[in-house]
Amino acid sequence: AEAAAQARSDAGGASADNTPESKIFDFVTQAEGTDKGRKQVEDPYSTTLGYGAFIKGGERDLKSTPMSEIDKLQTEILRNPKNNTNGSPVGKYQVVQATLRDAKKALGIKETDLFNKETQDKVGMWLLNRRGYQDWKDGKITDAKFTANMKNEWDGLRANPEFMKKILATKTQGKGKDWKEEVLAFRKGGDEVA
């Protein structure tokens, strides 16, 4: 069972890691359409806008692609006349070109580095922290502010507020507490959230 959970995690599906961050990312990927449960998604780490509809040849393995080529791919997505979103999201966390360029600078990612699972997870955590995750966890910003920040990063959360409620409750399964108590337990680093 542990090996199967790790395989799902390696493939970008439900995380075997039970940290609050992994739970949050499970909801982000569901909202963004990159979770492994979708029939269009073979590999969440290799997902592009429209599941490959805006690139020649469709979806491909992005994990073995250098960052310089990812940038070119995002330019191709943006220039596609059928793309009326003005977006270029790629990978498990659906990062747009300008944001990915900022992340590369901030994290010291080189153009020759691969857009693999490790790189994408590093960028995903940078995005989460950039939107105030640590401040929210420490009680320095309100739930409302954290929600607004997260919706500014991931359009899927804006389109489906139910996912944001789940994030705030950190994927609870109803252990007799209301969601605010569960969020407080989560902020304190408690294991009580499901």
Side-chain angles (χ1 to χ4, degrees), residues 14 23-38 51 92 156-157 160 163 166 171:
K23 292 174 186 180
I24 289 170
F25 283 132
D26 284 347
F27 288 119
V28 167
T29 59
Q30 287 174 44
E32 288 295 310
T34 60
D35 58 303
K36 188 70 173 164
R38 294 179 191 260
Y51 307 105
K92 182 174 182 177
L157 296 175
N160 189 340
F163 284 114
K166 291 176 182 181
K171 204 175 181 181

Side-chain angles (χ1 to χ4, degrees), residues 67-119:
M67 296 303 293
S68 60
E69 293 300 314
I70 294 296
D71 193 74
K72 290 176 186 173
L73 185 71
Q74 289 182 298
T75 298
E76 179 183 341
I77 292 169
L78 285 167
R79 289 184 178 161
N80 187 311
K82 294 178 184 173
N83 179 1
N84 60 4
T85 69
N86 197 31
S88 58
V90 296
K92 182 174 182 177
Y93 307 105
Q94 293 293 277
V95 185
V96 297
Q97 188 176 51
T99 302
L100 190 54
R101 287 175 177 172
D102 290 345
K104 288 189 298 190
K105 288 177 192 169
L107 299 170
I109 298 170
K110 299 178 192 119
E111 292 297 317
T112 55
D113 290 344
L114 299 179
F115 193 54
N116 58 21
K117 178 185 183 306
E118 293 76 22
T119 299

Side-chain angles (χ1 to χ4, degrees), residues 48-176:
T48 63
L49 177 66
Y51 307 105
F54 303 108
I55 54 175
K56 290 179 186 167
E59 296 281 55
R60 61 192 71 170
D61 179 14
L62 300 181
K63 295 187 313 283
S64 61
T65 306
M67 296 303 293
S68 60
E69 293 300 314
I70 294 296
D71 193 74
K72 290 176 186 173
L73 185 71
Q74 289 182 298
T75 298
E76 179 183 341
I77 292 169
L78 285 167
R79 289 184 178 161
N80 187 311
K82 294 178 184 173
N83 179 1
N84 60 4
T85 69
N86 197 31
S88 58
V90 296
K92 182 174 182 177
Y93 307 105
Q94 293 293 277
V95 185
V96 297
Q97 188 176 51
T99 302
L100 190 54
R101 287 175 177 172
D102 290 345
K104 288 189 298 190
K105 288 177 192 169
L107 299 170
I109 298 170
K110 299 178 192 119
E111 292 297 317
T112 55
D113 290 344
L114 299 179
F115 193 54
N116 58 21
K117 178 185 183 306
E118 293 76 22
T119 299
Q120 290 188 47
D121 288 347
K122 189 177 186 181
V123 170
M125 198 62 216
W126 178 80
L127 292 171
L128 191 59
N129 283 320
R130 175 173 105 139
R131 293 304 178 175
Y133 170 68
Q134 192 61 50
D135 286 342
W136 175 72
K137 188 175 170 185
D138 293 342
K140 295 178 183 175
I141 63 172
T142 65
D143 293 344
K145 177 67 175 161
F146 183 59
T147 297
N149 291 350
M150 292 287 284
K151 288 179 177 181
N152 283 331
E153 192 66 59
W154 287 290
D155 282 342
L157 296 175
R158 191 176 313 127
N160 189 340
E162 290 304 309
F163 284 114
M164 197 61 222
K165 288 179 185 176
K166 291 176 182 181
I167 287 171
L168 291 175
T170 61
K171 204 175 181 181
T172 61
Q173 300 298 318
K175 294 195 172 193

Side-chain angles (χ1 to χ4, degrees), residues 12-27:
S15 178
D17 184 5
N18 207 22
T19 65
E21 294 86 359
S22 69
K23 292 174 186 180
I24 289 170
F25 283 132
D26 284 347
F27 288 119

